[in-house]
Structure formats: structure tokens, C-alpha cells
Amino acid sequence: SLGVEPKIFINDAMVSVSEISMIINNRRLALKERANLLKARIKSDKGVQLGVIIDIKQELRKEGVFRVEYEGIESSSLQ
């Protein structure tokens, strides 16, 4: 609905698009030699605007995360 900011979660914690880069770098450091296996899953409400998904995807690409899975879910599942 209009006026509602999208909620982005990484590992069950709400984050902003600007925090994605830092979180990925921290995850990459934790994985060490397996960092090239890093992948992401974007799970979104079916009504989320495409621009939000594109913003997230661009942040992932900047950090070298090219393996991305997508999943659309019903709004009631996110509450």
C-alpha cells in the first residue's frame, strides 16, 4: 500500500539497502575461502515495487554476489 516503506530482512534482522554492502562484507570475511559460494535469496511480498528489488540486486552485484534466488510470498506470510 502507498506510504508504507518496504521492509528488508537479512538473517531475520531488518536492514536498509545501504547496510547490505557491510553485511555482505562481514559474511564474506566469516566464510573466508568459501566466500565465492556466497548467494542470496530475495523473498518478497508479491506487491513489492520492482524498484526495491532492483536496488537490492544492485547492492548485491556491487559486492560480487551474482547467485540470487527470488521468491514471491503472500503479504500475510510476512507479518
Side-chain angles (χ1 to χ4, degrees), residues 42-48 71-79:
I42 298 175
K43 185 188 286 188
S44 68
D45 181 275
K46 289 183 179 180
V48 74
E71 181 179 349
I73 57 176
E74 297 297 327
S75 295
S76 60
S77 300
L78 294 176
Q79 298 176 359

Side-chain angles (χ1 to χ4, degrees), residues 9-20:
F9 291 85
I10 296 180
N11 295 332
D12 298 325
M14 192 166 29
V15 301
S16 67
V17 172
S18 63
E19 294 174 291
I20 293 172

Side-chain angles (χ1 to χ4, degrees), residues 50-77:
L50 184 57
V52 174
I53 302 297
I54 290 170
D55 290 346
I56 295 168
K57 199 171 154 185
Q58 286 176 339
E59 287 298 312
L60 293 170
R61 284 183 178 167
K62 284 182 199 174
E63 296 305 319
V65 179
F66 300 105
R67 295 173 53 195
V68 180
E69 299 173 357
Y70 302 91
E71 181 179 349
I73 57 176
E74 297 297 327
S75 295
S76 60
S77 300

